[in-house]
Amino acid sequence: MSWMKWLPWRYLVKRMAHRHGFLDPIALLAKLHSFAQPSEVGEPIELLRAGVVFHARGLINSRVIQHNLDWVWPYWIERQFDPGDVAFIPRAFSITHINLSNRNWTAIGQPDVAELPVVDPRGLLTPFYDGWSLDAWVLADDGRCLLPSRCKTARQRQAFEDGPVVVTDSELGGLSLTSRSRVVVENGKPVCELLLRARSGTSGSLVLSLRPANPEGISFINRVSLSGQRDAWTVDRKQTVFFSRPAERHHVSDYRQGDVRIHLQDNQDQSQGKCDVGMVTAAALFPMRAGEVSELTVRVPLSDESAPAIRPDSWLGALEGYAQLECPDESWQFLYDAAIHSLVLHSPEDVYPGPYTYKRFWFRDAAFIIHALLCVGLTDRAERALHQFPHRQLKNGYFRSQEGEWDANGEVLWILRRFHELTGRALHRRWQEPVRKGARWIQKKRLSDTLDKPHAGLLPAGFSAEHLGPNDYYYWDDFWGIAGLKAAEELLRPVDREASEHFGAGAREFAQTVDRSLATCAERLKRPGMPASPYRRLDAGAIGSLAIGYPTQLCRPDDPRLLDCVEFLLEKCFVKGAFYQDMIHSGLNAYLTLHVAQVLLRAGDLRYLELVDAVAGLASPTGQWPEAIHPGTGGGCMGDGHHVWASAEWVMMVRNCFVREEGDRLVFCAGVPPRWLEQGKPIRFGPAPTSFGTVSIAIEPRPGDTPDVTWRGNWHRGEPDIEVKLPEVRP
């Protein structure tokens, strides 16, 4: 936008805006930027692009949905547009209508397959990324109709039968429907499979409906045709939906004629249809006998090409050797198993923090997700993802996924160090130069330490993580920068002593600079707690400053600055037992709550368990967390409805409850809930990689007596010091 600085352009834009009654956009943007610290990048272009796409969908939603509320819409719309529902949001003059109350869905798929269909809380299946959906209804001959998206209650669960299976049960007045959604492998190709089982006390029809909508809103369908055998749809001439038996009746409708739902009992049958505005709906009807179960299997090929890596037993191979949990808590057990499957699904090569809204790459999310993969022994998968990093490094050493996010280099170097610690391997030759360049970038990016400002010597103002606020000099970035330099020191020590010592000295000097800046904050705030930046009061953005304690462990567990920051957050920023991020997310955050719990766990503060249990209670019935959760509805209100960073944090929480590194020793069992020791079933975890080697831990509870803790270790260089520290049990 540098051309806007040219005076004639500014004059012309201002004059045109005023002529048509608009505000001067240049003056408006300047005013908006004045609320943030001056920075190189106003906001990452990738986030701006994503926001435009998001609200473009919302603009279409606003033009279509509210004028056609007699259509059958996805669950979130049925709730958010219902004035009698707690999820209701008034629309007024809102330009866009977007899902802000029930952003929940669950991904299904196969390991190493990029296609990730999603299932909403009422079983609506969206086979293709951001595409149309399939819905199932039960229509009785007396006119009653079971529409799952309008059911106030339903049961949904996730099972793991050669991969994730999402099962949804709906009932209404003697009508029942069960859907089972999964991805299977057929002839080396991924196929999305929907199995429907319906029952009615009277005769009727099982209805499969093609819907131009998904969990984000409208998704256009321009044409559909029924095959001559009446057992398949062709959608927009490129995608096919197969039925296991021919449809007895078939109806198609367009936008002008309304939803096909109102034409289900028409006498005339249509085999094809098209709609110029992209709102085709179709329904295939299959007869049901009174009191009998009617079944239908629907298959949607996800790819035309065979992939050698896809095998019918691919889940067995993908999960081989991972750290298994065996515990008496069904909730923790299920959530751990679901999280492991989520990590595998979303790491086909790159790692993604979600199957839909966030199906793209960020170094920040990738570092946390890869760390979880490493810590549960999914090493090959983590290593493959790490190999995607170097080609994203610019010539100047910057690891760029988004411009203006200065935490990336530190996170890349830190996770690379963790990889080599956990595997016991030496730094590979091809990584040596990227590490040097990445560490040099951190040093060169820092501001001058001669500035007479609290941000002297820190990294520049940047956007960093969106949940911290507008552009500022974030300590989050600085802590990651220090961690990155320390990582470079360790990684290069065996191969380049001079560079190692240089980066080590740089890390120590950087840390001293941050300490001085934090001291000015303590003086200004009259308490040691760490704000998000040198110019912020303590607010919800301070959650980012916890990075000094978790996961980087740059400070002692009892650092007063860290613990005071946690106390502020617990007192001012928690709702219903979970961290409430009031900036942008405006919801309860599972993964950020677990960051606080990790700090408490390191400090030996038993309040960690309350937070972990609160996060377990926020999970969906399928064992997933949206990025942010509506405090009222319990549904997702921001980000991806299946947030993999949250899954990674659950895995890390469980792992650290059993084993974590603390300096030159291992700490065992410090987070195992005391209630687990009050029953007689054995508790096990492992084999889990650590920086000292791989360990498997077993606990034999002895109600009324001290439990037995045993372990087996496969150490890199000999057994380290080990502290067994069961809560409420003498060490």
Side-chain angles (χ1 to χ4, degrees):
M1 297 291 285
S2 59
W3 56 272
M4 276 297 185
K5 298 178 181 178
W6 192 36
L7 187 59
W9 273 117
R10 294 175 63 88
Y11 172 75
L12 290 173
V13 169
K14 180 178 180 178
R15 182 170 180 178
M16 287 293 292
H18 286 174
R19 176 182 295 176
H20 294 282
F22 290 97
L23 296 173
D24 177 3
I26 298 176
L28 181 62
L29 285 173
K31 182 61 69 175
L32 288 174
H33 289 158
S34 70
F35 290 100
Q37 295 285 355
S39 60
E40 301 173 30
V41 179
E43 188 172 5
I45 189 65
E46 291 82 359
L47 289 183
L48 289 174
R49 186 185 300 118
V52 169
V53 172
F54 187 68
H55 282 287
R57 166 71 59 74
L59 185 60
I60 294 168
N61 291 346
S62 69
R63 298 293 294 172
V64 177
I65 297 170
Q66 63 183 333
H67 310 298
N68 296 281
L69 291 176
D70 60 338
W71 285 46
V72 179
W73 294 112
Y75 175 66
W76 76 269
I77 297 175
E78 296 289 352
R79 292 199 64 184
Q80 192 165 303
F81 285 68
D82 178 359
D85 198 295
V86 67
F88 174 71
I89 296 178
R91 296 177 289 283
F93 288 105
S94 298
I95 296 176
T96 66
H97 297 167
I98 55 181
N99 184 354
L100 295 175
S101 58
N102 285 277
R103 300 184 63 80
N104 299 81
W105 45 83
T106 305
I108 52 176
Q110 289 285 329
D112 307 322
V113 174
E115 290 79 10
L116 292 172
V118 297
V119 185
D120 91 340
R122 289 297 184 265
L124 183 78
L125 172 63
T126 306
F128 298 99
Y129 176 77
D130 200 25
W132 44 263
S133 301
L134 297 172
D135 203 4
W137 310 327
V138 180
L139 175 66
D141 287 344
D142 59 15
R144 291 175 299 133
C145 193
L146 168 58
L147 304 169
S149 65
R150 293 184 179 175
C151 289
K152 294 299 183 183
T153 59
R155 297 183 303 277
Q156 190 172 65
R157 61 192 183 279
Q158 182 173 197
F160 306 106
E161 304 166 3
D162 297 326
V165 181
V166 176
V167 183
T168 311
D169 299 311
S170 306
E171 294 182 2
L172 178 69
L175 309 177
S176 66
L177 174 67
T178 296
S179 66
R180 294 172 56 88
S181 302
R182 62 175 182 164
V183 173
V184 298
V185 177
E186 294 182 1
N187 300 319
K189 301 177 183 178
V191 175
C192 187
E193 179 186 274
L194 174 63
L195 174 62
L196 302 171
R197 293 171 58 90
R199 181 191 290 269
S200 172
T202 62
S203 59
S205 300
L206 170 58
V207 183
L208 178 69
S209 184
L210 181 67
R211 314 303 300 166
N214 60 36
E216 291 281 26
I218 304 302
S219 184
F220 297 121
I221 301 174
N222 292 295
R223 62 178 65 233
V224 65
S225 59
L226 182 67
S227 68
Q229 294 75 33
R230 301 177 68 86
D231 63 353
W233 280 324
T234 300
V235 182
D236 287 332
R237 296 177 174 170
K238 60 182 179 181
Q239 295 156 334
T240 308
V241 180
F242 295 98
F243 321 141
S244 59
R245 53 189 169 113
E248 181 183 65
R249 295 162 50 207
H250 187 264
H251 299 288
V252 182
S253 186
D254 61 16
Y255 182 71
R256 305 303 173 192
Q257 298 177 56
D259 193 355
V260 75
R261 161 74 180 87
I262 64 178
H263 300 289
L264 293 182
Q265 294 178 316
D266 290 357
N267 292 325
Q268 187 175 359
D269 193 280
Q270 305 89 30
S271 61
Q272 59 183 350
K274 64 179 181 178
C275 178
D276 292 338
V277 299
M279 291 297 293
V280 164
T281 53
L285 284 73
F286 305 87
M288 296 175 54
R289 294 180 180 177
E292 295 184 7
V293 174
S294 177
E295 286 195 3
L296 178 71
T297 301
V298 183
R299 296 167 49 255
V300 183
L302 299 176
S303 174
D304 294 330
E305 299 180 2
S306 296
I310 304 176
R311 305 186 310 273
D313 63 345
S314 56
W315 277 103
L316 288 175
L319 296 175
E320 184 178 3
Y322 83 99
Q324 299 186 48
L325 170 68
E326 182 181 338
C327 74
D329 191 317
E330 293 182 1
S331 174
W332 282 46
Q333 181 74 60
F334 170 66
L335 293 175
Y336 182 79
D337 294 340
I340 291 291
H341 281 78
S342 290
L343 294 178
V344 171
L345 273 184
H346 294 82
S347 54
E349 191 169 45
D350 271 330
V351 293
Y352 307 122
Y356 189 6
T357 311
Y358 290 161
K359 195 180 180 186
R360 50 189 183 273
F361 181 83
W362 282 275
F363 277 117
R364 180 186 312 115
D365 300 65
F368 283 93
I369 293 168
I370 292 172
H371 193 218
L373 288 169
L374 287 170
C375 286
V376 294
L378 296 173
T379 307
D380 291 344
R381 186 166 295 274
E383 183 176 15
R384 183 176 62 187
L386 285 171
H387 284 320
Q388 310 307 308
F389 284 13
H391 76 269
R392 287 189 167 95
Q393 188 179 35
L394 304 185
K395 290 182 179 179
N396 66 357
Y398 179 39
F399 284 96
R400 183 182 67 182
S401 52
Q402 283 75 36
E403 282 286 2
E405 297 187 333
W406 311 135
D407 53 340
N409 275 48
E411 288 153 353
V412 170
L413 298 177
W414 173 81
I415 189 58
L416 192 63
R417 175 188 180 182
R418 288 295 288 155
F419 171 79
H420 288 87
E421 287 177 341
L422 292 164
T423 60
R425 304 180 199 171
L427 181 67
H428 195 281
R429 183 183 299 273
R430 65 172 171 267
W431 265 105
Q432 293 177 16
E433 189 57 26
V435 168
R436 291 190 193 94
K437 290 170 60 178
R440 285 194 209 107
W441 180 91
I442 295 173
Q443 292 185 312
K444 291 179 179 179
K445 196 67 180 179
R446 290 177 57 196
L447 300 171
S448 171
D449 58 5
T450 61
L451 297 172
D452 187 21
K453 298 285 186 179
H455 63 265
L458 305 185
L459 287 169
F463 188 73
S464 194
E466 83 285 336
H467 57 265
L468 300 183
N471 287 341
D472 213 331
Y473 304 95
Y474 287 115
Y475 290 125
W476 162 274
D477 296 337
D478 300 315
F479 292 142
W480 281 112
I482 296 166
L485 291 174
K486 289 172 67 69
E489 177 189 18
E490 293 298 323
L491 289 168
L492 294 173
R493 181 175 289 131
V495 296
D496 189 341
R497 192 73 163 180
E498 183 179 352
S500 170
E501 292 176 353
H502 173 69
F503 294 134
R508 290 186 289 275
E509 191 273 327
F510 195 177
Q512 291 168 1
T513 299
V514 173
D515 287 344
R516 288 195 296 270
S517 181
L518 286 171
T520 68
C521 293
E523 183 178 356
R524 172 171 58 88
L525 299 173
K526 307 297 189 243
R527 61 186 297 177
M530 301 172 291
S533 89
Y535 301 102
R536 289 271 285 275
R537 299 178 295 278
L538 282 172
D539 56 27
I543 191 78
S545 297
L546 298 191
I548 191 177
Y550 173 82
T552 66
Q553 292 193 351
L554 293 175
C555 68
R556 291 172 50 86
D558 59 354
D559 188 300
R561 302 168 301 179
L562 178 65
L563 298 186
D564 187 55
C565 192
V566 164
E567 291 302 331
F568 166 79
L569 294 170
L570 289 170
E571 180 184 358
K572 299 294 186 180
C573 303
F574 269 62
V575 174
K576 296 184 176 180
F579 174 72
Y580 172 71
Q581 178 52 279
D582 49 19
M583 287 179 282
I584 297 186
H585 288 197
S586 59
L588 310 177
N589 286 81
Y591 64 104
L592 296 177
T593 303
L594 292 176
H595 284 202
V596 179
Q598 292 277 15
V599 173
L600 293 175
L601 176 63
R602 280 191 77 207
D605 189 325
L606 292 180
R607 289 178 295 175
Y608 80 91
L609 186 55
E610 299 172 17
L611 274 56
V612 181
D613 285 337
V615 170
L618 291 171
S620 74
T622 58
Q624 313 302 335
W625 294 271
E627 180 171 31
I629 299 167
H630 193 298
T633 69
C637 62
M638 189 268 184
D640 210 299
H642 180 157
H643 194 51
V644 185
W645 186 352
S647 300
E649 291 299 348
W650 183 263
V651 165
M652 287 305 304
M653 194 74 236
V654 171
R655 183 261 194 188
N656 287 353
C657 282
F658 279 90
V659 55
R660 77 172 193 274
E661 300 93 339
E662 194 62 65
D664 59 357
R665 73 186 194 281
L666 284 177
V667 178
F668 284 173
C669 307
V672 172
R675 61 179 182 265
W676 292 6
L677 307 178
E678 297 170 1
Q679 51 78 55
K681 297 180 181 178
I683 302 164
R684 300 186 179 92
F685 184 75
T690 74
S691 55
F692 303 99
T694 301
V695 64
S696 297
I697 299 172
I699 305 172
E700 193 70 35
R702 297 176 179 273
D705 200 354
T706 303
D708 278 348
V709 179
T710 58
W711 60 89
R712 296 192 311 275
N714 184 12
W715 310 113
H716 297 324
R717 291 174 294 276
E719 186 174 34
D721 290 340
I722 292 172
E723 180 181 3
V724 180
K725 199 173 181 181
L726 282 161
E728 300 182 358
V729 177
R730 185 171 59 85

